[in-house]
């Protein structure tokens, strides 16, 4: 996926789950225009995509296993699908989960959570964006099954799968 300088969204590559957002599951070998909207930010996970449209609204498309799109279902979406009514400033797409910082700085997570990568203190999958704590956040990133974030106080936090010490805490213990 890529955003052209005029804000238009283009996609190409593997599309077996509809993750390109063009309404098909046909692979694209050249950049293909996706819709007519303009976009501010996009992220890709394992067979799913997230985007913040120019108006700040959140969209998701592609494979929806474990609810990683955040639309309340596990139905795959082949075109960008509006997620809720909030506006957003940041997004991150992990292997099977998604993160977002809402316009007010609050952190939300959804999708697969078997390794605690959502950070809600459980290992329960979430099918809609779920508020994580009460802090405000500046930045987020998502790996295959772990997540990282910088809180507004400047502190870096990491949670989720830690089998290869990817959380940086010196252990191999998952953090929820």
């Amino acid at each position: 996926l890529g955003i052209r300088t005029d804000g238009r969204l283009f996609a190409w590559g593997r599309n077996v789950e509809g993750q390109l957002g063009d309404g098909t599951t046909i692979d694209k070998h050249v950049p293909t225009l996706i819709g007519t909207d303009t976009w501010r930010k996009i992220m890709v996970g394992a067979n799913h995509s997230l985007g913040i449209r120019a108006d700040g609204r959140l969209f998701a498309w592609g494979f929806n296993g474990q609810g990683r799109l955040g639309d309340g279902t596990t139905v795959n979406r082949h075109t960008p699908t509006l997620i809720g009514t909030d506006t957003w400033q940041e997004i991150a797409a992990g292997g099977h989960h998604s993160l977002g910082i809402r316009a007010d700085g609050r952190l939300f997570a959804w999708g697969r959570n078997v390794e605690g990568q959502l950070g809600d203190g459980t290992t329960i999958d979430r099918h809609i964006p779920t508020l994580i704590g009460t802090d405000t956040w500046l930045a987020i990133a998502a790996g295959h099954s772990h997540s990282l974030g910088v809180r507004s106080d400047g502190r870096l936090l990491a949670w989720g799968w830690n089998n290869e010490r990817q959380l940086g805490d010196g252990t191999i213990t998952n953090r929820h």
Side-chain angles (χ1 to χ4, degrees):
L1 295 174
I3 300 174
R4 201 167 61 182
T5 56
D6 65 2
R8 304 292 291 278
L9 178 63
F10 286 78
W12 59 97
R14 187 170 187 253
N15 196 28
V16 68
E17 305 289 354
Q19 64 265 41
L20 298 183
D22 69 342
T24 76
T25 56
I26 300 168
D27 296 349
K28 300 294 186 268
H29 300 280
V30 297
T32 302
L33 178 64
I34 306 301
T36 59
D37 292 322
T38 56
W39 298 84
R40 185 180 339 148
K41 187 169 292 215
I42 53 170
M43 290 288 180
V44 295
N47 298 327
H48 77 290
S49 304
L50 304 172
I52 299 175
R53 204 170 56 185
D55 64 3
R57 303 293 289 278
L58 175 63
F59 287 77
W61 57 99
F63 185 65
N64 199 14
Q66 300 88 29
R68 69 190 76 178
L69 299 184
D71 67 351
T73 76
T74 56
V75 175
N76 294 353
R77 305 293 179 187
H78 298 161
T79 59
T81 301
L82 179 64
I83 307 302
T85 59
D86 293 321
T87 56
W88 300 81
Q89 58 180 307
E90 293 292 334
I91 48 175
H96 308 283
H97 70 292
S98 303
L99 305 170
I101 300 176
R102 203 169 57 187
D104 64 2
R106 295 298 198 78
L107 176 63
F108 288 76
W110 58 99
R112 183 178 179 187
N113 196 28
V114 71
E115 288 88 20
Q117 61 265 48
L118 299 186
D120 66 353
T122 77
T123 55
I124 299 169
D125 295 346
R126 305 291 179 186
H127 295 177
I128 60 170
T130 301
L131 179 64
I132 307 301
T134 60
D135 295 314
T136 56
W137 297 78
L138 301 174
I140 48 175
H144 184 271
S145 295
H146 72 289
S147 304
L148 303 129
V150 177
R151 284 192 323 211
S152 57
D153 64 5
R155 295 185 66 172
L156 172 66
L157 284 87
W159 57 96
W161 198 26
N162 197 25
N163 70 321
E164 296 175 358
R165 295 183 166 87
Q166 58 266 52
L167 301 184
D169 66 357
T171 74
I172 56 169
T173 303
N174 293 354
R175 305 288 178 204
H176 303 137

